[in-house]
Amino acid sequence: MKVARIGIITAVYIALTYGLAEAQISSGGQPVSFQKRVGDYVPMISMPAVDAEALLAEDERDGKLGVPFRFGYKHDVSLNPDNSGVWETLDDGGRLWRLAIKCPEAYSINLVYDQYRLPEGARLFVYSDDRNVVLGAFTSGNNKEHGKFATAPTRGDVTILEYYLPPGVDDPGLLSLVRVVHAYKDIFFGPLKEVDPTEHFGHSDFCEINVNCPEGEPWKNEVRSVVMYIVDEAWQCSGVMVNNVREDQTPYMLTANHCHGPEETILVVFNYQSPSCENIVGPGDMTLSGATLVAANDYSDFKLVQLSEQPPASYDVYYAGWSAIDIASQSSVCIHHPEGDIKKISFDDDSLLSADYLLSYGDSHWRVGNWELGTTESGSSGSPLFDPEHRIVGQLHGGMASCRRIKPDWYGKFSKSWDYGTTPETRLKDWLDPDNTGTLVLDGLDTECCVGMTGNIDGDPYDIVDPMDIVYLAEWMWAGGPAPPCMEEVDVDGSGYPDLMDAVYLVTYFWEGGPPPVDCP
């Protein structure tokens, strides 16, 4: 046991020294260049400079017109292993391709691929030049029928692609970049610590309320259903995972139709929220790439997409319920990502008013007269409006509300989105009630995976917490092992998200008489 303890403490020390890798759905592990001797030369391609001041001025103007929140500038490129970067043959016979991309003064860089087809055994990593953010490994398991892909942002103004073909793999696959996105707003990264509350982390307004404040406690399930996503590669909107009558966890996301862009390359971010009421940067690495448009209609400004991948159990997704009955609720709640910020919650204590968009009459939308707590902003578009029974009744189209102005917002009615359209492609009912049962009200579906005390990291069927859970955690964090089947089990110290300190906590618990893992949330 003493040897095991020394091994784990050594692993913790290594992690403290070199940092942790972040990843969307991937196979984990480390880039080959982190482990083997490789050449020092990595060609760098620099993108043109971006006039951030001019772009911010455009955003100020467009924000008043209801345009989705923009954070980045898109550089059109055509980069692939045949026309850029450098190949080298390694001692084991494998081949390695690397390319560095620089966007001067960018806060982060995200990449979009018009061709992505990796052969079995190949691995792609994308990482920041300081190696503090590492995405991957992406493999053939990420291949999509449409052949497109997108990777999450890496921090800083240089990102590096590393593509490895192991010995015996002769098929180079297809890997081609079509877009490099230069983030001129800093919305994805920040220090993992509290900041001055007068500054408010991110860009959202001063009256916004974090979802883990006391006001959000009754809405913890619905909080797990709301996502932030990157659309058209450089814009950000909000959305919500929705239940269907079969309750089969089909990964449908409801959002606003005016958040337009190619669904194949959207990047959906789950659980980007502070672990407490304070402004603390939440985890931004729980992501999924790609979706398929299922239905949309301008009348109520709704769009329903099906994600290309099933959210893993570790994302702890809640599929929100809904009401297709056209009755004004007496109070409402909105959960959203304003200005690309961590997740917020807003409250309206008054009855909704039936209206058309930007009007005080009509019947395509619900009008929120004003918010008693919180507000909405650019980036909140597509976020759900819940009634007191915790069911979706609309999604945000637009409005004029802010912390400084008592103005209305308009939400496309779920009841109109349900059956206003004349074809399955223009209404919700064919997808959320595929067997035509006539259901008009449906509660949410909880996929909660953690029960009792946390710590069952390896998914033991008898819910046993033992040192093997530490081994499993260490292999996942530092050796490319499989992800824990339930990420809530990892958060043994109750910080709100899994990190290195959970490993330290378990070591202290098992061998130094520390406190036991906290109870599941």
Side-chain angles (χ1 to χ4, degrees), residues 243-248 322 418 431-434 437 439 442:
N243 195 13
N244 71 83
V245 175
R246 289 180 180 173
E247 298 200 310
D248 57 6
W322 39 262
W418 184 254
W431 310 98
L432 301 188
D433 185 14
T437 66
T439 299
L442 184 68

Side-chain angles (χ1 to χ4, degrees), residues 221-300:
N221 283 339
E222 289 71 31
V223 165
R224 291 159 45 210
S225 72
V226 175
V227 298
M228 178 176 79
Y229 69 99
I230 296 173
V231 61
D232 202 19
E233 299 140 16
W235 279 261
Q236 173 264 322
C237 283
S238 301
V240 58
M241 303 300 293
V242 291
N243 195 13
N244 71 83
V245 175
R246 289 180 180 173
E247 298 200 310
D248 57 6
Q249 298 183 41
T250 300
Y252 288 137
M253 182 185 79
L254 177 68
T255 185
N257 195 36
H258 75 270
C259 293
H260 53 79
E263 278 73 32
E264 296 89 351
T265 56
I266 68 170
L267 191 76
V268 183
V269 185
F270 296 79
N271 302 313
Y272 182 49
Q273 61 211 39
S274 171
S276 71
C277 189
E278 302 302 320
N279 281 307
I280 301 172
V281 180
D285 60 334
M286 297 185 188
T287 64
L288 290 177
S289 172
T292 301
L293 177 64
V294 172
N297 200 317
D298 285 335
Y299 180 69
S300 57

Side-chain angles (χ1 to χ4, degrees), residues 92-109:
D92 64 0
R95 291 184 293 157
L96 187 68
W97 175 78
R98 287 179 293 165
L99 171 67
I101 298 173
K102 183 178 180 65
C103 292
E105 299 185 4
Y107 288 106
S108 65
I109 300 172

Side-chain angles (χ1 to χ4, degrees), residues 177-398:
L177 280 177
V178 69
R179 216 90 64 217
V180 174
V181 181
H182 171 135
Y184 58 91
K185 293 176 182 173
D186 187 10
I187 68 170
F188 297 108
F189 300 98
L192 288 172
K193 63 183 181 66
E194 296 184 15
V195 299
D196 184 344
T198 63
E199 296 177 359
H200 285 249
F201 172 73
H203 297 266
S204 64
D205 216 339
F206 67 91
C207 68
E208 299 284 13
I209 302 168
N210 285 323
V211 292
N212 280 318
C213 288
E215 295 90 341
E217 179 66 27
W219 298 88
K220 293 185 72 170
N221 283 339
E222 289 71 31
V223 165
R224 291 159 45 210
S225 72
V226 175
V227 298
M228 178 176 79
Y229 69 99
I230 296 173
V231 61
D232 202 19
E233 299 140 16
W235 279 261
Q236 173 264 322
C237 283
S238 301
V240 58
M241 303 300 293
V242 291
N243 195 13
N244 71 83
V245 175
R246 289 180 180 173
E247 298 200 310
D248 57 6
Q249 298 183 41
T250 300
Y252 288 137
M253 182 185 79
L254 177 68
T255 185
N257 195 36
H258 75 270
C259 293
H260 53 79
E263 278 73 32
E264 296 89 351
T265 56
I266 68 170
L267 191 76
V268 183
V269 185
F270 296 79
N271 302 313
Y272 182 49
Q273 61 211 39
S274 171
S276 71
C277 189
E278 302 302 320
N279 281 307
I280 301 172
V281 180
D285 60 334
M286 297 185 188
T287 64
L288 290 177
S289 172
T292 301
L293 177 64
V294 172
N297 200 317
D298 285 335
Y299 180 69
S300 57
D301 190 46
F302 91 88
K303 178 165 62 176
L304 185 71
V305 302
Q306 181 173 343
L307 304 188
S308 298
E309 298 171 280
Q310 189 70 33
S314 58
Y315 287 16
D316 195 26
V317 174
Y318 182 81
Y319 294 86
W322 39 262
S323 173
I325 299 175
D326 192 13
I327 297 178
S329 61
Q330 300 305 298
S331 62
S332 308
V333 167
C334 174
I335 303 172
H336 55 118
H337 284 281
E339 300 277 329
D341 206 348
I342 49 180
K343 199 177 296 180
K344 308 292 183 176
I345 187 167
S346 302
F347 297 84
D348 172 31
D349 294 338
D350 304 311
S351 296
L352 296 174
L353 176 68
S354 184
D356 286 338
Y357 184 49
L358 298 181
L359 298 175
S360 57
Y361 55 88
D363 68 351
S364 62
H365 287 63
W366 291 121
R367 180 179 181 269
V368 173
N370 65 275
W371 297 101
E372 272 68 38
L373 291 174
T375 189
T376 62
E377 303 177 60
S378 180
S380 303
S381 289
S383 58
L385 186 69
F386 292 99
D387 66 14
E389 285 71 42
H390 295 232
R391 300 177 184 129
I392 300 169
V393 294
Q395 79 287 324
L396 182 61
H397 189 165

Side-chain angles (χ1 to χ4, degrees), residues 16 18-19 51 89 127 198 245 343 398 404 444 479 512:
L16 280 168
Y18 295 103
D51 188 343
T89 300
Y127 51 90
T198 63
V245 175
K343 199 177 296 180
R404 297 167 179 81
E512 297 181 2

